[in-house]
Amino acid sequence: MLLRSGIVFSPLQSPSPSHSLRLTKSHTHPHKIISAQSQIPPSYTISDGALQSQGFVLHRTTSTLNLDHLNSVFVSVGFPRRDPDKIRVALEHTDSLVWVENVKTQRPVAFARSTGDGVFNAIIWDVVVDPTFQGIGLGKAVMERLLEDLLQKGITNIALYSEPRVLGFYRPMGFVVDPDGITGMVYSRKQNKNRKKF
């Protein structure tokens, strides 16, 4: 699973265990936003215990994360191979992360992280699931926990990028085209190439 194009999560009320969220989605081509009203689930779709019984362990730190193995997961979903030193720097600037380890191989099989200002805004990056392990709920497991971490910190404006081909992952969670017609925009180097410098 590779997620690109923007989705913004913005609670309608003050954070509480069962508060409503406003979710908006924007694509790069074309720019659209989808939104949904949903409740934060009181429990995870897959519990930590159920994951462990299937041979997986959840982690929220990088202390045992092998960056070469993580890079392999990135490559397996279509990211270009990344410089491990740059991955390390990115992780040092990460506010929250969740990853799933296959106990048998001791390798990461699912990963998601977020960066932000620590108060109002966060953006979720690098949501990936090794193709061998897709379809068993690991993507939802990391996303639910990452969102919970952010919401517990009081962060209410959460964005992520996703490719249109994985929108089916979000539709069961109640995503619809934004009724307000909000359109997302992204900075384009191509468009800015011939413009005056700031």
Side-chain angles (χ1 to χ4, degrees):
M1 179 182 308
L2 170 64
L3 303 176
R4 289 184 181 153
S5 97
I7 297 181
V8 178
F9 295 77
S10 180
L12 296 174
Q13 303 171 9
S14 299
S16 70
S18 63
H19 70 280
S20 296
L21 290 181
R22 178 159 193 250
L23 295 75
T24 57
K25 162 103 184 83
S26 68
H27 307 280
T28 306
H29 303 288
H31 297 296
K32 290 184 182 175
I33 295 187
I34 64 172
S35 68
Q37 304 291 325
S38 68
Q39 296 294 315
I40 301 288
S43 61
Y44 301 126
T45 305
I46 300 175
S47 69
D48 291 7
L51 286 166
Q52 288 176 354
S53 71
Q54 295 175 35
F56 302 108
V57 177
L58 280 157
H59 298 275
R60 285 185 164 89
T61 70
T62 59
S63 61
T64 60
L65 180 59
N66 181 304
L67 299 186
D68 289 325
H69 293 165
L70 178 60
N71 213 358
S72 295
V73 178
F74 289 153
V75 170
S76 73
V77 299
F79 284 141
R81 186 163 296 282
R82 297 173 172 181
D83 179 334
D85 290 332
K86 289 185 177 180
I87 295 174
R88 186 173 291 105
V89 170
L91 294 177
E92 288 169 0
H93 291 88
T94 292
D95 297 321
S96 295
L97 65 86
V98 179
W99 63 282
V100 176
E101 176 185 16
N102 179 331
V103 174
K104 187 184 234 182
T105 63
Q106 298 183 327
R107 294 174 75 109
V109 294
F111 178 88
R113 70 183 183 97
S114 69
T115 59
D117 59 24
V119 180
F120 304 111
N121 305 292
I123 188 162
I124 296 173
W125 304 99
D126 300 332
V127 180
V128 292
V129 177
D130 184 313
T132 307
F133 297 94
Q134 290 180 6
I136 59 174
L138 299 182
K140 190 173 275 190
V142 296
M143 283 298 298
E144 287 174 345
R145 287 157 178 83
L146 189 60
L147 282 171
E148 180 186 56
D149 290 350
L150 294 170
L151 292 169
Q152 284 182 351
K153 292 176 183 177
I155 298 171
T156 58
N157 187 30
I158 304 167
L160 89 88
Y161 285 85
S162 122
E163 287 188 346
R165 68 182 172 88
V166 295
L167 289 178
F169 177 74
Y170 297 101
R171 285 193 181 102
M173 293 187 275
F175 286 89
V176 295
V177 174
D178 191 298
D180 298 326
I182 296 171
T183 300
M185 298 181 72
V186 295
Y187 176 78
S188 171
R189 283 182 236 162
K190 292 176 186 174
Q191 292 293 326
N192 201 37
K193 197 174 187 179
N194 296 322
R195 299 197 189 281
K196 292 181 181 178
K197 302 265 184 197
F198 291 102

